[in-house]
Amino acid sequence: MRQTLASRTGGAEHEDAARDGGGVRGPGPLIVTEDVVLLDDLLRLCAAAGVEPEVHHRVPERRASWTDPPLVLVGEDAAARCRGATRRPGVVLVGRAQDDPEVWRLAVEVGADSVLRLPGAESLLVDRIADAAEGVGRTALTVGVVGGRGGAGASTLACGLALAAARAGRRTLLVDGDPLGGGLDVLLGAEREEGRRWGDFAASKGRLAGGALEESLPAARGVRVLSWGREPTGAVPPDAVRSVLAAARRRGGVVVVDLPRAVDEAGTEALAQLDLGLLVVPGELRAVAAAHRITGALSLLVRDLRAVVRGPYAAGLDERWVADALRLPLAGELPYDPGIVSDQDAGTPPGAQPRGPLGRFCAAFWERALPAGGAA
Protein backbone atom coordinates (compact mmCIF):
# COMPACT_ATOMS: atom_id res chain seq x y z
CA MET A 1 0.00 0.00 0.00
CA ARG A 2 1.32 3.44 -0.89
CA GLN A 3 0.00 6.79 0.26
CA THR A 4 1.41 10.26 -0.24
CA LEU A 5 1.14 13.22 2.09
CA ALA A 6 -1.68 14.84 0.14
CA SER A 7 -3.70 11.68 -0.47
CA ARG A 8 -3.50 10.59 3.18
CA THR A 9 -4.55 13.88 4.73
CA GLY A 10 -6.78 15.33 2.07
CA GLY A 11 -4.25 17.91 2.22
CA ALA A 12 -4.87 21.50 2.75
CA GLU A 13 -2.98 22.10 5.97
CA HIS A 14 0.05 20.00 5.06
CA GLU A 15 0.25 21.18 1.46
CA ASP A 16 0.16 24.81 2.63
CA ALA A 17 2.94 24.12 5.09
CA ALA A 18 5.07 22.59 2.34
CA ARG A 19 4.49 25.57 0.07
CA ASP A 20 5.38 27.98 2.89
CA GLY A 21 8.67 26.15 3.21
CA GLY A 22 9.43 26.98 -0.40
CA GLY A 23 7.92 23.96 -2.13
CA VAL A 24 8.09 20.22 -1.67
CA ARG A 25 11.65 18.97 -1.43
CA GLY A 26 12.66 15.54 -2.47
CA PRO A 27 13.19 12.76 -2.10
CA GLY A 28 11.18 12.33 1.07
CA PRO A 29 11.38 9.61 3.71
CA LEU A 30 9.59 6.28 3.85
CA ILE A 31 7.06 5.96 6.70
CA VAL A 32 6.06 2.48 7.85
CA THR A 33 3.12 2.43 10.30
CA GLU A 34 -0.56 1.58 10.69
CA ASP A 35 -0.99 3.85 13.71
CA VAL A 36 -3.26 6.61 12.40
CA VAL A 37 -2.42 9.09 15.16
CA LEU A 38 1.32 8.54 14.74
CA LEU A 39 1.00 8.79 10.97
CA ASP A 40 -0.76 12.13 11.21
CA ASP A 41 2.04 13.43 13.42
CA LEU A 42 4.74 12.18 11.05
CA LEU A 43 2.99 13.70 8.04
CA ARG A 44 2.79 17.02 9.87
CA LEU A 45 6.51 16.90 10.65
CA CYS A 46 7.35 16.01 7.04
CA ALA A 47 5.33 19.02 5.89
CA ALA A 48 7.23 21.21 8.35
CA ALA A 49 10.47 19.93 6.80
CA GLY A 50 9.13 20.65 3.29
CA VAL A 51 9.14 17.05 2.05
CA GLU A 52 6.53 14.55 0.83
CA PRO A 53 6.91 11.03 2.22
CA GLU A 54 5.83 7.65 0.94
CA VAL A 55 3.68 5.65 3.39
CA HIS A 56 3.44 1.87 3.73
CA HIS A 57 1.94 -0.41 6.39
CA ARG A 58 4.81 -2.89 6.15
CA VAL A 59 8.14 -3.28 4.38
CA PRO A 60 7.45 -2.51 0.70
CA GLU A 61 7.51 -5.46 -1.69
CA ARG A 62 9.70 -3.49 -4.07
CA ARG A 63 13.19 -3.61 -2.55
CA ALA A 64 14.20 -0.16 -3.84
CA SER A 65 11.26 1.43 -2.01
CA TRP A 66 12.94 0.36 1.23
CA THR A 67 16.60 0.91 0.33
CA ASP A 68 16.45 4.11 -1.75
CA PRO A 69 14.70 6.72 0.48
CA PRO A 70 17.15 8.89 2.42
CA LEU A 71 15.38 8.06 5.71
CA VAL A 72 12.99 5.36 6.97
CA LEU A 73 10.65 6.14 9.87
CA VAL A 74 9.30 2.94 11.42
CA GLY A 75 6.44 3.24 13.89
CA GLU A 76 6.61 1.04 16.99
CA ASP A 77 3.46 -0.73 15.84
CA ALA A 78 5.22 -1.80 12.62
CA ALA A 79 8.56 -2.88 14.09
CA ALA A 80 7.65 -6.56 14.24
CA ARG A 81 6.59 -6.46 10.58
CA CYS A 82 9.97 -4.99 9.61
CA ARG A 83 12.05 -7.82 11.05
CA GLY A 84 14.22 -9.37 8.38
CA ALA A 85 14.20 -6.30 6.14
CA THR A 86 17.44 -5.48 4.31
CA ARG A 87 19.82 -3.69 6.66
CA ARG A 88 20.41 -0.09 5.68
CA PRO A 89 21.50 3.17 7.35
CA GLY A 90 19.01 5.88 8.23
CA VAL A 91 16.30 3.85 9.98
CA VAL A 92 14.59 5.59 12.91
CA LEU A 93 12.15 3.87 15.27
CA VAL A 94 9.42 6.34 16.29
CA GLY A 95 6.91 5.94 19.07
CA ARG A 96 5.19 7.49 22.05
CA ALA A 97 5.63 5.08 24.96
CA GLN A 98 8.10 6.37 27.53
CA ASP A 99 10.85 4.34 29.24
CA ASP A 100 9.85 1.05 27.66
CA PRO A 101 12.95 -1.22 27.63
CA GLU A 102 11.32 -3.36 24.92
CA VAL A 103 11.79 -0.54 22.40
CA TRP A 104 15.57 -1.01 22.34
CA ARG A 105 15.21 -4.68 21.45
CA LEU A 106 12.84 -3.71 18.63
CA ALA A 107 15.33 -1.07 17.43
CA VAL A 108 18.09 -3.66 17.18
CA GLU A 109 15.82 -6.08 15.32
CA VAL A 110 14.91 -3.55 12.61
CA GLY A 111 18.43 -2.10 12.37
CA ALA A 112 17.40 1.36 13.64
CA ASP A 113 20.23 3.77 14.36
CA SER A 114 18.11 5.83 16.76
CA VAL A 115 14.86 5.83 18.73
CA LEU A 116 12.79 9.02 18.93
CA ARG A 117 9.79 9.70 21.17
CA LEU A 118 7.02 12.11 20.29
CA PRO A 119 6.11 14.78 21.13
CA GLY A 120 9.38 15.54 22.91
CA ALA A 121 11.61 14.81 19.91
CA GLU A 122 9.52 16.62 17.26
CA SER A 123 12.08 19.36 16.61
CA LEU A 124 14.90 16.84 16.36
CA LEU A 125 12.88 14.68 13.98
CA VAL A 126 12.04 17.62 11.70
CA ASP A 127 15.77 18.39 11.45
CA ARG A 128 16.56 14.73 10.75
CA ILE A 129 13.94 14.58 7.98
CA ALA A 130 15.10 17.82 6.36
CA ASP A 131 18.78 16.84 6.61
CA ALA A 132 18.07 13.54 4.90
CA ALA A 133 16.06 15.15 2.10
CA GLU A 134 18.57 17.94 1.45
CA GLY A 135 21.67 15.81 1.82
CA VAL A 136 23.97 17.07 4.53
CA GLY A 137 27.57 17.37 3.45
CA ARG A 138 30.21 19.97 4.18
CA THR A 139 28.61 23.18 5.42
CA ALA A 140 29.31 26.43 3.60
CA LEU A 141 32.45 28.36 4.37
CA THR A 142 30.90 31.50 5.84
CA VAL A 143 32.89 34.74 5.66
CA GLY A 144 31.75 38.02 7.18
CA VAL A 145 33.06 41.41 6.07
CA VAL A 146 32.97 44.46 8.38
CA GLY A 147 34.26 47.97 7.76
CA GLY A 148 36.76 49.34 10.25
CA ARG A 149 35.18 52.74 9.64
CA GLY A 150 32.40 54.09 7.49
CA GLY A 151 33.25 53.93 3.80
CA ALA A 152 36.06 51.43 4.33
CA GLY A 153 34.93 49.32 1.39
CA ALA A 154 33.37 46.32 3.17
CA SER A 155 30.44 46.04 0.76
CA THR A 156 32.80 46.32 -2.20
CA LEU A 157 34.96 43.50 -0.85
CA ALA A 158 31.92 41.34 0.00
CA CYS A 159 30.62 41.68 -3.56
CA GLY A 160 34.05 40.93 -5.03
CA LEU A 161 34.46 37.84 -2.86
CA ALA A 162 31.05 36.50 -3.87
CA LEU A 163 31.73 36.98 -7.58
CA ALA A 164 35.17 35.35 -7.31
CA ALA A 165 33.71 32.35 -5.48
CA ALA A 166 31.06 31.93 -8.18
CA ARG A 167 33.72 32.11 -10.89
CA ALA A 168 35.56 29.32 -9.05
CA GLY A 169 32.49 27.12 -9.44
CA ARG A 170 31.23 27.37 -5.87
CA ARG A 171 27.59 27.64 -4.88
CA THR A 172 27.56 31.23 -3.60
CA LEU A 173 25.16 33.26 -1.48
CA LEU A 174 25.77 36.94 -0.73
CA VAL A 175 23.92 38.21 2.35
CA ASP A 176 23.32 41.89 3.05
CA GLY A 177 23.45 42.25 6.82
CA ASP A 178 23.35 46.06 6.86
CA PRO A 179 19.78 47.44 6.66
CA LEU A 180 21.14 50.99 6.37
CA GLY A 181 23.39 50.23 3.41
CA GLY A 182 22.49 50.92 -0.18
CA GLY A 183 21.50 47.32 -0.88
CA LEU A 184 23.86 44.63 -2.10
CA ASP A 185 21.40 43.66 -4.82
CA VAL A 186 21.96 47.13 -6.30
CA LEU A 187 25.73 46.76 -6.04
CA LEU A 188 25.53 43.35 -7.71
CA GLY A 189 23.12 44.59 -10.40
CA ALA A 190 20.24 42.36 -9.23
CA GLU A 191 17.82 45.00 -7.96
CA ARG A 192 15.37 44.31 -10.80
CA GLU A 193 15.52 40.54 -10.40
CA GLU A 194 12.48 38.76 -8.96
CA GLY A 195 12.92 37.07 -5.61
CA ARG A 196 12.58 37.39 -1.90
CA ARG A 197 14.19 40.03 0.28
CA TRP A 198 14.83 40.21 4.03
CA GLY A 199 11.32 41.44 4.77
CA ASP A 200 9.91 38.16 3.47
CA PHE A 201 11.86 36.24 6.12
CA ALA A 202 11.22 38.50 9.11
CA ALA A 203 8.75 36.04 10.64
CA SER A 204 10.94 32.98 10.13
CA LYS A 205 11.61 30.75 13.11
CA GLY A 206 13.00 27.28 13.44
CA ARG A 207 14.27 25.51 10.37
CA LEU A 208 14.14 26.74 6.76
CA ALA A 209 14.78 24.41 3.83
CA GLY A 210 18.15 25.42 2.37
CA GLY A 211 17.23 24.55 -1.19
CA ALA A 212 13.99 26.49 -1.01
CA LEU A 213 15.81 29.52 0.39
CA GLU A 214 18.38 29.45 -2.38
CA GLU A 215 15.80 29.09 -5.14
CA SER A 216 13.69 31.96 -3.79
CA LEU A 217 16.44 34.60 -3.97
CA PRO A 218 17.41 36.90 -6.84
CA ALA A 219 20.49 35.87 -8.79
CA ALA A 220 23.08 37.68 -10.88
CA ARG A 221 26.41 36.53 -12.34
CA GLY A 222 26.11 33.14 -10.63
CA VAL A 223 25.50 34.64 -7.16
CA ARG A 224 22.29 34.41 -5.13
CA VAL A 225 21.77 37.54 -3.06
CA LEU A 226 19.64 38.23 0.02
CA SER A 227 19.26 41.97 0.35
CA TRP A 228 16.82 44.59 1.57
CA GLY A 229 13.86 45.71 -0.50
CA ARG A 230 13.29 49.25 -1.63
CA GLU A 231 10.47 49.75 0.86
CA PRO A 232 11.32 50.52 4.52
CA THR A 233 11.67 47.31 6.52
CA GLY A 234 11.69 46.93 10.28
CA ALA A 235 14.49 45.18 12.08
CA VAL A 236 14.78 41.48 11.29
CA PRO A 237 14.53 39.47 14.53
CA PRO A 238 17.55 37.43 15.66
CA ASP A 239 15.54 34.20 15.23
CA ALA A 240 15.04 34.98 11.55
CA VAL A 241 18.73 35.75 11.02
CA ARG A 242 19.65 32.49 12.72
CA SER A 243 17.19 30.47 10.60
CA VAL A 244 18.21 32.04 7.29
CA LEU A 245 21.97 31.74 7.80
CA ALA A 246 21.70 28.19 9.14
CA ALA A 247 19.71 27.20 6.03
CA ALA A 248 22.24 28.90 3.77
CA ARG A 249 25.16 27.15 5.47
CA ARG A 250 23.60 23.72 5.08
CA ARG A 251 23.68 24.11 1.29
CA GLY A 252 27.46 24.10 1.23
CA GLY A 253 29.69 26.23 -0.96
CA VAL A 254 30.30 29.81 0.18
CA VAL A 255 28.26 32.34 2.13
CA VAL A 256 29.53 35.94 2.24
CA VAL A 257 27.89 38.29 4.75
CA ASP A 258 28.27 42.08 4.61
CA LEU A 259 27.86 43.31 8.20
CA PRO A 260 27.32 46.72 9.79
CA ARG A 261 29.81 48.16 12.25
CA ALA A 262 27.19 48.50 15.00
CA VAL A 263 26.46 45.08 16.49
CA ASP A 264 22.86 44.53 17.60
CA GLU A 265 21.13 41.26 18.54
CA ALA A 266 20.60 40.25 14.92
CA GLY A 267 24.20 41.09 14.10
CA THR A 268 25.36 38.98 17.02
CA GLU A 269 23.51 35.99 15.56
CA ALA A 270 25.20 36.54 12.20
CA LEU A 271 28.66 36.93 13.72
CA ALA A 272 28.24 33.71 15.69
CA GLN A 273 27.80 31.73 12.46
CA LEU A 274 30.94 33.01 10.75
CA ASP A 275 33.90 30.79 10.10
CA LEU A 276 36.05 33.81 9.32
CA GLY A 277 35.66 37.56 9.80
CA LEU A 278 37.44 40.17 7.68
CA LEU A 279 37.83 43.67 9.08
CA VAL A 280 38.50 46.11 6.23
CA VAL A 281 40.74 48.97 7.35
CA PRO A 282 42.05 51.81 5.17
CA GLY A 283 45.72 52.62 5.68
CA GLU A 284 45.28 55.83 7.69
CA LEU A 285 45.56 56.63 11.40
CA ARG A 286 41.93 57.70 11.92
CA ALA A 287 40.70 54.50 10.29
CA VAL A 288 42.94 52.41 12.54
CA ALA A 289 41.65 54.26 15.59
CA ALA A 290 38.05 53.70 14.52
CA ALA A 291 38.69 50.03 13.79
CA HIS A 292 40.33 49.56 17.17
CA ARG A 293 37.09 50.58 18.90
CA ILE A 294 35.16 47.66 17.42
CA THR A 295 37.89 45.03 17.26
CA GLY A 296 37.44 43.95 20.88
CA ALA A 297 33.70 43.32 20.50
CA LEU A 298 34.14 41.50 17.20
CA SER A 299 36.91 39.30 18.59
CA LEU A 300 34.55 38.04 21.31
CA LEU A 301 31.98 36.94 18.73
CA VAL A 302 34.05 35.79 15.74
CA ARG A 303 36.25 32.74 16.15
CA ASP A 304 38.73 33.89 13.49
CA LEU A 305 38.99 37.64 12.86
CA ARG A 306 41.60 39.01 10.45
CA ALA A 307 42.49 42.39 8.98
CA VAL A 308 42.26 43.31 5.31
CA VAL A 309 44.21 46.52 4.84
CA ARG A 310 43.38 48.82 1.96
CA GLY A 311 45.71 51.34 0.35
CA PRO A 312 46.72 54.02 -0.35
CA TYR A 313 48.66 54.52 2.89
CA ALA A 314 49.42 57.52 5.06
CA ALA A 315 53.09 58.27 5.51
CA GLY A 316 54.89 55.66 7.61
CA LEU A 317 52.07 53.09 7.43
CA ASP A 318 51.82 49.79 5.61
CA GLU A 319 49.60 46.71 5.88
CA ARG A 320 51.75 45.03 8.53
CA TRP A 321 51.78 48.11 10.72
CA VAL A 322 47.99 48.39 10.57
CA ALA A 323 47.40 44.70 11.38
CA ASP A 324 49.91 44.81 14.24
CA ALA A 325 48.31 47.95 15.66
CA LEU A 326 44.96 46.13 15.75
CA ARG A 327 46.60 42.92 17.06
CA LEU A 328 44.96 40.94 14.26
CA PRO A 329 46.38 38.47 11.76
CA LEU A 330 46.77 39.98 8.30
CA ALA A 331 44.44 38.40 5.73
CA GLY A 332 45.94 40.44 2.92
CA GLU A 333 46.48 43.84 1.35
CA LEU A 334 43.63 45.06 -0.81
CA PRO A 335 45.23 47.14 -3.57
CA TYR A 336 43.88 50.53 -4.46
CA ASP A 337 41.60 50.16 -7.47
CA PRO A 338 40.76 53.51 -9.10
CA GLY A 339 38.55 51.78 -11.67
CA ILE A 340 35.90 50.59 -9.22
CA VAL A 341 33.93 53.86 -9.23
CA SER A 342 33.87 54.13 -13.01
CA ASP A 343 32.92 50.44 -13.29
CA GLN A 344 29.99 50.94 -10.93
CA ASP A 345 28.86 54.00 -12.88
CA ALA A 346 28.85 51.76 -15.96
CA GLY A 347 26.80 49.09 -14.15
CA THR A 348 29.67 46.68 -13.54
CA PRO A 349 29.75 45.24 -10.01
CA PRO A 350 32.98 45.54 -8.02
CA GLY A 351 35.17 42.51 -8.57
CA ALA A 352 33.42 41.50 -11.80
CA GLN A 353 36.67 41.97 -13.70
CA PRO A 354 38.77 38.90 -12.76
CA ARG A 355 42.00 40.59 -13.92
CA GLY A 356 41.40 43.80 -11.97
CA PRO A 357 43.06 44.44 -8.59
CA LEU A 358 39.96 43.46 -6.59
CA GLY A 359 39.26 40.40 -8.72
CA ARG A 360 42.84 39.16 -8.33
CA PHE A 361 42.80 39.75 -4.58
CA CYS A 362 39.54 37.82 -4.13
CA ALA A 363 40.64 34.92 -6.33
CA ALA A 364 43.87 34.59 -4.33
CA PHE A 365 41.89 34.72 -1.08
CA TRP A 366 39.66 31.79 -2.09
CA GLU A 367 42.62 29.77 -3.33
CA ARG A 368 43.96 29.90 0.22
CA ALA A 369 40.64 29.57 2.05
CA LEU A 370 38.66 27.00 0.07
CA PRO A 371 39.27 23.27 0.35
CA ALA A 372 40.41 21.48 -2.77
CA GLY A 373 37.96 19.28 -4.62
CA GLY A 374 35.99 21.34 -7.10
CA ALA A 375 32.60 22.96 -6.89
CA ALA A 376 30.53 22.74 -3.77
Side-chain angles (χ1 to χ4, degrees), residues 86-180:
T86 301
R87 294 285 166 149
R88 53 148 295 164
V91 176
V92 179
L93 187 62
V94 186
R96 292 184 172 280
Q98 302 297 317
D99 301 323
D100 181 2
E102 178 70 8
V103 72
W104 300 107
R105 182 183 64 80
L106 293 173
V108 171
E109 290 181 352
V110 301
D113 57 35
S114 59
V115 176
L116 297 179
R117 298 298 191 185
L118 302 182
E122 284 194 356
S123 177
L124 180 61
L125 187 52
V126 169
D127 283 352
R128 185 76 187 268
I129 293 167
D131 283 344
E134 290 188 73
V136 177
R138 180 184 289 147
T139 58
L141 178 61
T142 306
V143 177
V145 187
V146 184
R149 65 155 169 80
S155 297
T156 295
L157 178 57
C159 187
L161 287 172
L163 290 170
R167 283 195 297 268
R170 302 282 172 165
R171 175 185 285 114
T172 306
L173 174 59
L174 177 61
V175 179
D176 190 349
D178 187 358
L180 300 181

Side-chain angles (χ1 to χ4, degrees), residues 175-222:
V175 179
D176 190 349
D178 187 358
L180 300 181
L184 284 187
D185 56 346
V186 176
L187 196 61
L188 190 63
E191 70 274 17
R192 298 182 183 274
E193 298 295 325
E194 294 293 328
R196 293 186 173 187
R197 266 68 179 181
W198 265 119
D200 298 308
F201 297 100
S204 298
K205 291 183 179 180
R207 183 180 179 114
L208 291 175
L213 169 70
E214 181 181 20
E215 293 163 10
S216 73
L217 299 177
R221 297 176 181 261

Side-chain angles (χ1 to χ4, degrees), residues 245-306:
L245 287 182
R249 284 172 57 81
R250 285 194 301 272
R251 292 292 286 168
V254 166
V255 177
V256 180
V257 188
D258 180 27
L259 292 162
R261 297 179 67 240
V263 180
D264 57 11
E265 290 185 2
T268 298
E269 287 291 347
L271 289 167
Q273 297 206 40
L274 300 182
D275 297 305
L276 173 63
L278 299 178
L279 182 65
V280 184
V281 187
E284 57 188 47
L285 286 174
R286 289 187 63 194
V288 174
H292 190 270
R293 297 182 64 182
I294 64 171
T295 300
L298 292 175
S299 297
L300 292 175
L301 297 167
V302 181
R303 67 192 78 173
D304 186 356
L305 180 66
R306 306 180 193 182

Side-chain angles (χ1 to χ4, degrees), residues 298-323:
L298 292 175
S299 297
L300 292 175
L301 297 167
V302 181
R303 67 192 78 173
D304 186 356
L305 180 66
R306 306 180 193 182
V308 173
V309 184
R310 178 172 66 81
Y313 297 98
L317 272 61
D318 62 16
E319 70 275 14
R320 290 287 176 189
W321 188 96
V322 172

